[in-house]
Amino acid sequence: MNFDAYARNGVDLVNARLDDLDDLQSLLPGDDAGLREEITERDLATFRRARKRLRGVFEYGASGQDAEAVAELNALLEAYPVHPHISGHDSSDWHMHPASRGASVAVDYLAGAVWGLAVWLCEYGSARFGVCADERCGNVYLDTSSNCCRRFCSERCATRSHVAAHRARKRAATVEQPLTSVS
C-alpha cells in the first residue's frame, strides 16, 4: 500500500480550488472515470470542510504543535474511517485500498488521504508538514528533504521569494547610500 500517494492526496486537497464540481473533478484521480461521474454537491461541501481541517493539521505541524496535529488527525480518522479492501485487475495485480466504494466519493477519498497523512506523521513526525513560506502562496507540502529544511511548496515559490528578497535588499542599499556630488 503506497501511503505516500494517499498522503499526497491530502496535500492536493488542501491546495485545490474547490469553487465548483469541475474543480473537484480535476482533483480526483484520472484513472477512475466512474468516480468522477458519481460526485455530487454534497461531496463538494464535504471536501471543503475536510480541506479546512486538513489545512489545520499542516499549520499545527509547521508551527511545532505536534499534539494538536495528532488530535486533529485522530478526529479526522474517526470522521473518515478506513475500511481496507483488496483490489486488482488480475491475479498478479492485487493491492490494498484504504476505503471501499461505499458511502460517497468524498468519504472514500478522505479516508485514504487522512490515513496517508496519519501514517506520514507517525513515520516522519509533524515537523514534515509544511506551509509555503512565500506569503503570496499558502500551499501546503510534505517535507521530503533529507534534513527537514524545506520552506517552500515548490522551486517556483522559492525562486520568487528569493528574488523578491534580493531586490528588496538592493533597494534598501541604494536608499542608504548618501548621494555624492561632484564639484
Side-chain angles (χ1 to χ4, degrees):
M1 191 167 187
N2 186 350
F3 294 113
D4 287 353
Y6 285 109
R8 283 195 232 338
N9 284 347
V11 171
D12 292 343
L13 171 59
V14 174
N15 294 337
R17 286 186 56 167
L18 292 178
D19 294 334
D20 53 31
L21 287 176
D22 289 337
D23 290 340
L24 180 53
Q25 285 181 340
S26 67
L27 172 68
L28 299 175
D31 59 346
D32 195 346
L35 195 64
R36 291 170 182 238
E37 293 171 8
E38 294 176 26
I39 62 171
T40 65
E41 288 290 335
R42 187 174 180 179
D43 288 317
L44 183 59
T46 302
F47 272 100
R48 286 176 178 155
R49 283 190 305 275
R51 177 178 63 177
K52 184 180 278 187
R53 293 180 70 186
L54 287 171
R55 173 169 288 285
V57 171
F58 281 87
E59 290 171 353
Y60 289 138
S63 64
Q65 296 175 292
D66 295 349
E68 291 83 352
V70 168
E72 186 62 30
L73 273 174
N74 278 333
L76 286 162
L77 285 168
E78 285 185 37
Y80 306 105
V82 175
H83 300 285
H85 75 280
I86 300 169
S87 179
H89 305 290
D90 59 48
S91 62
S92 64
D93 184 34
W94 298 120
H95 56 278
M96 295 292 292
H97 284 277
S100 61
R101 298 293 290 273
S104 71
V105 172
V107 169
D108 291 345
Y109 182 97
L110 290 166
V114 170
W115 181 257
L117 290 171
V119 169
W120 182 274
L121 183 138
C122 291
E123 184 78 19
Y124 304 108
S126 71
R128 295 288 183 157
F129 287 65
V131 178
C132 188
D134 185 342
E135 296 162 358
R136 296 166 288 185
C137 177
N139 281 345
V140 301
Y141 60 89
L142 294 168
D143 186 348
T144 57
S145 67
S146 60
N147 57 356
C148 195
C149 65
R150 187 171 168 186
R151 295 180 39 234
F152 299 95
C153 69
S154 66
E155 286 295 321
R156 180 175 179 240
C157 281
T159 300
R160 182 174 55 204
S161 184
H162 292 128
V163 167
H166 172 73
R167 289 179 178 157
R169 284 191 305 273
K170 280 183 78 172
R171 277 192 305 273
T174 303
V175 170
E176 289 175 8
Q177 291 177 353
L179 294 175
T180 58
S181 61
V182 178
S183 319

